[in-house]
Structures are given as C-alpha cells and as structure tokens.
Amino acid sequence: MHNFTPVSAIFGGLLIALAAAATLFLHGRLAGISGILFGLVDALPDGLDEARRVFYAAFLAGLVLGGVVIARLWPLAFESQSSDGATLGRFAIAGLLVGFGSRLSGGCTSGHGVCGLSLRSPRALVATLVFMAAGVATVAVAKHLLGLIP
C-alpha cells in the first residue's frame, strides 16, 4: 500500500456518504449505481415518470462528468500502474461486467455497503460480508498462489 493517501481517502469517503445521504433524503432513493443504471435502462420501453428519469440520468451524468473533470484537473489519476498493459478501456469493460454481475446478484457494493448497511439491512450485511470475503480470497489467491501481486 505504498500509494495510500489517508486524507484523500477520508475526503472521498465523506463525499460518498454525503451523496448517498442526499440521494436518500432528497429523492427517497438509495444510491446504488447498478440499480440506478438498470432502472433507467429497464424503464425505456415501459416508460418512467419524468422526475425519476431526470434524476437517474442526472445522477449517472454526474458520475461521468466527475470523472471527466478529474481527468482534466489531475490526469495522473487515470494512469494505469499495472505492468500487464491494462488500459482505461479495459477498466471500463471490467466495470461494465461488474455492474452487470452485481445487477444479476441483486445489488452492488455501493447500494449494499454504503446505503444498505446505514439502514441496518440484514440482506445488505450478508451481501457486504460476501463481497469482502470474495475480495480477500481473490487477493490471497492472486498473491500467494499465483504470484500475480508482488
């Protein structure tokens, strides 16, 4: 963890908490990204009330715009430090696959880990424990069995 920066991590965590709380209090919705994305996509053929459609679209546009602003102000934030030639495009494809998988499994880490736990949801607790255990197991296998992580 030679790149760990506690100040930016705390600031980022506070921004996530603020966004999740604002989404819940202002719109009565959880800030689960996969639910918002697929709520907008699933609603296209059947229709969706205009206020919710605008909220979903604005929320997702804000995520993309935030990335664009950071890329302009701090280009190094998007540089890959991977030695296997990983590119931003590969990360984007991986993110889409993760989003699709999380939707299939009934929620994503942001929905369960940030919003669900704060609402004391037993389902969110189980989901978050499974996410964390899978992450720990993946790193353990990649580092100790496969030698992929120095």
Side-chain angles (χ1 to χ4, degrees):
M1 291 191 22
H2 61 282
N3 292 330
F4 178 67
T5 54
V7 173
S8 63
I10 290 169
F11 183 67
L14 289 172
L15 286 176
I16 290 170
L18 181 63
T23 301
L24 182 61
F25 291 123
L26 296 175
H27 299 284
R29 307 285 306 163
L30 294 180
I33 308 309
S34 64
I36 289 171
L37 174 62
F38 285 95
L40 182 61
V41 172
D42 288 346
L44 291 177
D46 302 327
L48 186 67
D49 68 79
E50 189 63 24
R52 188 164 293 171
R53 181 184 309 276
V54 168
F55 165 70
Y56 284 168
F59 191 95
L60 295 171
L63 290 175
V64 173
L65 184 60
V68 170
V69 168
I70 293 296
R72 291 280 189 207
L73 296 176
W74 188 31
L76 294 177
F78 287 95
E79 279 192 12
S80 172
Q81 302 203 3
S82 173
S83 61
D84 68 352
T87 63
L88 189 56
R90 285 177 64 190
F91 287 128
I93 291 168
L96 289 172
L97 290 172
V98 168
F100 183 72
S102 67
R103 186 63 179 161
L104 285 177
S105 67
C108 59
T109 53
S110 60
H112 286 300
V114 176
C115 300
L117 288 179
S118 64
L119 295 173
R120 293 185 240 159
S121 166
R123 179 175 172 248
L125 176 61
V126 170
T128 303
L129 290 173
V130 170
F131 294 150
M132 296 302 292
V136 169
T138 300
V139 169
V141 168
K143 183 175 178 103
H144 300 295
L145 294 179
L146 301 176
L148 298 175
I149 301 173

